[in-house]
Amino acid sequence: MSTDDIYEVTIVGGGPAGMYAAFYSGMRAMRTKLIDAKEELGGFMRTYPEKLVWDVGGVDPIRCEVLIDKLEKQAKTFDPTIVLGQEIAHMERGEDGVFTITAKTGERHYTRTILLCAGRGMTQVQKLDVEGASRYELTNLHYVVTDLSRFKDKVVLISGGGDSAVDWANEITPLAKEVIVVHRRDQFTAHEQPVAQMRASARVITPYHISRLYGSGDRLDSVALEHSETGEIQRIEVDEVIVSHGFDRDFGELLKWGLKKEDYGLTVDPKMRTSIPGIFGAGDFITYGSKVRLIAGAFNDAVLAVNSAKLYMEPTASDMAGVSSHNARFFEKNKAILSE
């Protein structure tokens, strides 16, 4: 290992927190590496590319896939090293304080600080636990929506009660002939405003769950819904079914590093410091008292974490990067843009 092999910060995870951290660490003139287990950046956002995102400050409603592209372009502003297709497994710290993190491929990465932005980890969709469900997965039973146009003028049944189920209902209702939302409880766990919008425009059936599927060949044409308490059955004809029951999360070896954690995420303090000095966290992977689980919240986490990493290495450094309008890192870039 030579000095050239050592990065100042290595970001593990390429979702919104990781990508923004790569950009902001560039603002702080830090030598940065970004590693993701998948072959593309975007993290969990890749599971809903067609969904409209409304709650990023100063940005008009934007398709998720477009937002990913913009974040990726921004992340590359200061030319960080980006490594894809490597799931990080092991970590050790040398006597000189340098961390060695090793991927399952065997490749080693050397860094003075680590920023964990693992999001929801390696996610696996929770499939519908009903006999014969797999028969329809290649036709009209969906776990991920990638093309809204397929639902135009159709009867669409959505099973689920979280944010994704409710958001899909609101996205599809203007296109579909009818949207029916089925949830096993009366109360939805999604945010209040989208739930109110859904109840005003879609047909909501609670507390019911899908108990049986009917179809001809590989196409589903109706479902049986069972009341969660009484067992009453009603059968509904459908053209398309979307199952949004969440995802199983797998963080691999990261949670075996001895880091303090809670039921939902890695424990950090208000400055995004974990229980191991030199290791920081941001995004959905972490939890703290005032945690905001929005993309905008992930950006703020990333800024705080990078600032803490900088101060860990250089205690006399400024608390934060200079704002972009006065930051020397942008002078030449601004000239190039203005001259176009």
Side-chain angles (χ1 to χ4, degrees):
M1 176 183 63
S2 69
T3 303
D4 290 340
D5 295 324
I6 304 172
Y7 284 76
E8 291 181 292
V9 60
T10 295
I11 302 161
V12 179
M19 287 189 283
Y20 196 76
F23 166 71
Y24 187 76
S25 63
M27 289 181 65
R28 302 230 58 174
M30 298 170 72
R31 188 164 182 246
T32 303
K33 178 181 283 188
L34 172 60
I35 305 173
D36 195 90
K38 297 180 180 179
E39 294 294 340
E40 57 185 357
L41 298 176
F44 189 73
M45 295 168 69
R46 290 283 180 189
T47 63
Y48 43 86
E50 285 279 334
K51 183 181 288 187
L52 283 174
V53 178
W54 286 72
D55 51 11
V56 177
V59 177
D60 290 335
I62 184 173
R63 287 203 324 277
C64 199
E65 61 185 353
V66 177
L67 180 58
I68 293 170
D69 289 343
K70 290 181 178 294
L71 284 170
E72 183 172 350
K73 181 178 179 181
Q74 183 183 50
K76 295 177 178 177
T77 301
F78 298 104
D79 300 317
T81 297
I82 296 178
V83 179
L84 299 175
Q86 289 193 23
E87 182 181 351
I88 296 301
H90 304 293
M91 175 276 296
E92 59 182 339
R93 192 207 303 260
E95 292 183 0
D96 58 358
V98 173
F99 292 98
T100 299
I101 52 179
T102 307
K104 287 189 173 180
T105 59
E107 185 165 344
R108 294 186 172 189
H109 305 273
Y110 306 100
T111 184
R112 300 193 185 282
T113 64
I114 300 171
L115 176 45
L116 296 174
C117 301
R120 303 189 188 189
M122 300 292 285
T123 55
Q124 183 68 38
V125 68
Q126 292 184 10
K127 293 195 173 185
L128 183 64
D129 187 17
V130 174
E131 184 179 356
S134 60
R135 182 189 318 161
Y136 307 110
E137 290 178 4
L138 297 178
T139 52
N140 59 340
L141 175 63
H142 315 279
Y143 294 103
V144 177
V145 176
T146 58
D147 181 10
L148 290 174
S149 64
R150 73 171 298 131
F151 304 109
K152 184 175 175 57
D153 300 325
K154 293 182 178 180
V155 177
V156 182
L157 184 140
I158 300 174
S159 176
D163 288 312
S164 291
V166 172
D167 288 346
W168 285 131
N170 290 330
E171 292 282 344
I172 294 170
T173 295
L175 300 172
K177 179 180 180 181
E178 182 183 20
V179 170
I180 304 163
V181 180
V182 177
H183 183 39
R184 59 193 173 93
R185 290 191 290 265
D186 288 319
Q187 299 300 316
F188 288 79
T189 58
H191 295 294
E192 296 92 338
Q193 192 281 329
V195 170
Q197 180 184 347
M198 173 196 67
R199 289 188 181 277
S201 57
R203 180 181 169 194
V204 177
I205 302 177
T206 62
Y208 280 81
H209 60 275
I210 298 173
S211 60
R212 190 170 177 181
L213 305 173
Y214 301 90
S216 17
D218 60 357
R219 284 197 66 83
L220 181 64
D221 55 39
S222 64
V223 301
L225 304 179
E226 180 178 339
H227 194 283
S228 298
E229 298 170 358
T230 67
E232 175 191 355
I233 300 290
Q234 59 175 293
R235 184 165 168 173
I236 296 180
E237 293 185 357
V238 295
D239 298 312
E240 306 280 346
V241 173
I242 300 170
V243 176
S244 183
H245 292 174
F247 294 79
D248 293 321
R249 301 185 299 160
D250 180 9
F251 295 108
E253 302 295 316
L254 296 183
L255 295 182
K256 298 179 181 179
W257 290 6
L259 293 157
K260 184 179 178 182
K261 59 184 183 296
E262 299 178 32
D263 289 341
Y264 196 96
L266 199 67
T267 306
V268 298
D269 68 11
K271 294 186 177 181
M272 305 300 112
R273 298 176 296 199
T274 71
S275 57
I276 296 180
I279 301 181
F280 308 87
D284 277 347
F285 187 50
I286 64 165
T287 188
Y288 55 95
S290 57
K291 172 65 182 167
V292 176
R293 297 198 180 279
L294 294 172
I295 292 173
F299 297 160
N300 189 65
D301 292 348
V303 169
L304 293 171
V306 169
N307 286 336
S308 291
K310 181 75 172 181
L311 290 169
Y312 173 81
M313 293 184 298
E314 301 176 34
T316 60
S318 59
D319 289 342
M320 60 176 285
V323 296
S324 61
S325 57
H326 296 84
N327 191 314
R329 298 282 284 167
F330 292 99
F331 287 172
E332 294 303 319
K333 296 180 184 297
N334 289 341
K335 288 180 183 179
I337 292 173
L338 293 173
S339 66
E340 290 179 356

